[in-house]
């Protein structure tokens, strides 16, 4: 039996990675076979790519960035996501193709057709069964990422993007959510960790039932 493919999306600082870890533990406690993963960096090649093009101060051309996220995704889909789904697992990924539409499309300004083609090429058409978008105002997210980097967390090039960039990324996610209401659930991420966790569990329970 094919498993289920769930993705978490949000602007940086939305708290999705913490929620993903908590959801995976809850599901495992309930006996589900769960694989947690992330983009970029879900595979050994992806982790090396992530270091070279994201965790660097080198200027990266927007087209190179678009194609490197796609390369990471192609490797991820082939060697991790597809095999796990074929084995009946619940795969929960911290970001997937919607991030390319939001960040490289709306953020960097690539046109919709180019983005669609690159996504189709990288994923072979594999779409998530469910996507949770963790939504919160850009200013709140920015204050969370600042306190995270003060705590010594690894920085990446996206952390230095402007407020306007993140406004475009957020608006793009909300647009995709409105266009694909079957697949997308918008979760208000402005509450406490426990409040957001309760909402996530509610959404996942309804989906798995
Ligand atoms: P992370 O910090 O959630 O691991 O994500 C790394 C950064 O890469 C984050 O700022 C979002 C960005 N990103 C893109 O711009 N395009 C993509 O396709 C993906 C997967 C991530």
């Amino acid at each position: 039996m094919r498993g289920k493919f769930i993705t978490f999306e949000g602007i940086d600082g939305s708290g999705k990675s913490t929620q993903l870890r908590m959801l995976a533990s809850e599901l495992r406690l309930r006996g589900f076979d769960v694989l947690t993963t992330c983009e970029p960096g879900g595979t050994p090649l992806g982790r090396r790519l992530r270091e070279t093009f994201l965790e660097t101060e080198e200027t990266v051309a927007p087209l190179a960035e678009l194609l490197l996220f796609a390369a990471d995704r192609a490797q991820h889909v082939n060697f991790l996501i597809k095999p796990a789904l074929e084995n009946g697992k619940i795969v929960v990924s911290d970001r997937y193709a919607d991030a390319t539409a939001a960040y490289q499309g709306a953020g960097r300004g690539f046109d919709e057709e180019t983005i669609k083609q690159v996504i189709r090429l990288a994923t072979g058409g594999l779409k998530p069964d469910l996507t949770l978008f963790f939504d919160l105002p850009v200013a709140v997210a920015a204050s969370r990422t600042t306190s995270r980097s003060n705590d010594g967390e690894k920085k990446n090039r996206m952390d230095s993007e402007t407020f306007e960039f993140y406004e475009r990324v957020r608006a793009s996610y909300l647009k995709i959510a409105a266009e694909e209401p079957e697949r997308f659930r918008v979760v208000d991420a402005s509450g406490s960790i426990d409040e957001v966790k309760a909402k996530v569990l509610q959404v996942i329970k309804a989906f798995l039932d």
Side-chain angles (χ1 to χ4, degrees):
M1 192 192 78
R2 184 190 181 273
K4 296 275 176 229
F5 183 24
I6 302 172
T7 58
F8 277 25
E9 298 283 355
I11 58 172
D12 301 74
S14 62
K16 65 182 169 38
S17 309
T18 307
Q19 292 297 333
L20 189 145
R21 281 193 293 276
M22 292 191 306
L23 171 67
S25 329
E26 290 287 340
L27 290 176
R28 286 183 184 122
L29 279 177
R30 289 166 166 76
F32 289 100
D33 192 0
V34 181
L35 173 82
T36 58
T37 183
C38 66
E39 284 194 6
T43 62
L45 173 65
R47 281 187 281 285
R48 291 204 299 278
L49 285 176
R50 183 182 173 110
E51 277 173 25
T52 41
F53 84 97
L54 199 60
E55 291 161 3
T56 175
E57 307 220 325
E58 182 177 351
T59 305
V60 177
L63 179 59
E65 179 185 274
L66 173 69
L67 297 175
L68 284 161
F69 277 119
D72 167 74
R73 185 161 304 129
Q75 184 80 355
H76 194 205
V77 167
N78 259 277
F79 291 109
L80 206 69
I81 303 177
K82 271 195 176 161
L85 290 175
E86 279 156 18
N87 282 324
K89 289 182 196 284
I90 296 184
V91 177
V92 193
S93 183
D94 190 343
R95 299 192 187 280
Y96 186 63
D98 297 308
T100 290
Y103 281 79
Q104 281 63 53
R108 298 276 187 243
F110 281 99
D111 65 276
E112 228 175 290
E113 199 40 48
T114 303
I115 293 288
K116 272 194 186 150
Q117 278 179 4
V118 170
I119 289 177
R120 208 176 303 125
L121 205 59
T123 62
L126 178 73
K127 274 204 156 196
D129 299 298
L130 178 74
T131 298
L132 272 66
F133 172 57
F134 292 82
D135 187 38
L136 85 174
V138 174
V140 180
S143 73
R144 288 188 188 174
T145 46
T146 309
S147 71
R148 249 179 10 196
S149 59
N150 290 343
D151 291 344
E153 198 170 294
K154 236 181 197 172
K155 285 198 72 153
N156 70 58
R157 281 189 302 108
M158 298 293 176
D159 293 334
S160 32
E161 285 303 333
T162 60
F163 191 88
E164 289 71 28
F165 176 92
Y166 277 105
E167 284 289 2
R168 290 198 299 280
V169 172
R170 181 187 182 201
S172 166
Y173 273 127
L174 288 169
K175 183 166 171 271
I176 306 170
E179 284 165 0
E180 293 188 56
E182 285 286 302
R183 173 168 74 90
F184 255 81
R185 300 287 179 281
V186 178
V187 174
D188 178 358
S190 58
S192 70
I193 289 182
D194 284 338
E195 282 164 354
V196 180
K197 179 183 173 186
K199 286 182 211 153
V200 171
L201 288 178
Q202 207 181 354
V203 169
I204 297 294
K205 192 174 177 306
F207 169 72
L208 291 176
D209 286 349

